[in-house]
Amino acid sequence: MTVATTPATPATVGTSAQTASQVANQTTVYYNSACPVCNAGICAMQERLVGDEGVEWVDVHRNPQVLDALGLKLEDVRERLHVADGEGRMRVGADALAHALQRVPRWRVFAVPLRWWGVRHISHFLYNAFARQLYRWNRSRKHW
């Protein structure tokens, strides 16, 4: 299953006061803190990226209104990680994970294989299957 990317709005990728390189390096991560597994992964990334001002963390559980401007549905972001990059693309699922991992110095090694042609297809399949089951588990536990 291929997950399409959609354009992010300019508000998510930078302001006019930023230089082109700052905007190109900007990443906005949309995640769901109500999912304990998702939240643990995001917290681990945040700890390793302390001081990286090129990453904005948006918790859609606490701030669902931000999704309206992007044309995203809350349930979609609850189910799969979404990352807006500085090039105006919204990455979803395994692509979003690979993009986020690329920013973490010690985790970059995991991001590269996720982009290889054959591995990419397998990672999409596995990510989507895991995300769907995790979403169902969270719903059954009434995490939201």
Side-chain angles (χ1 to χ4, degrees), residues 59-77:
D59 179 359
V60 299
H61 180 68
R62 292 191 175 106
N63 303 299
Q65 70 280 1
V66 300
L67 300 176
D68 293 338
L70 299 170
L72 297 173
K73 296 178 184 172
L74 179 59
E75 294 307 308
D76 292 341
V77 182

Side-chain angles (χ1 to χ4, degrees), residues 54-116:
V55 180
E56 180 182 359
W57 305 94
V58 180
D59 179 359
V60 299
H61 180 68
R62 292 191 175 106
N63 303 299
Q65 70 280 1
V66 300
L67 300 176
D68 293 338
L70 299 170
L72 297 173
K73 296 178 184 172
L74 179 59
E75 294 307 308
D76 292 341
V77 182
R78 283 179 170 165
E79 187 172 353
R80 290 179 177 83
L81 183 67
H82 285 61
V83 173
D85 67 18
E87 297 171 359
R89 289 188 304 250
M90 182 65 73
R91 299 168 186 264
V92 180
D95 285 339
L97 179 61
H99 190 77
L101 289 174
Q102 186 66 35
R103 295 204 65 114
V104 183
R106 289 190 174 176
W107 293 359
R108 281 188 190 125
V109 67
F110 301 114
V112 174
L114 291 176
R115 293 186 171 141
W116 294 342

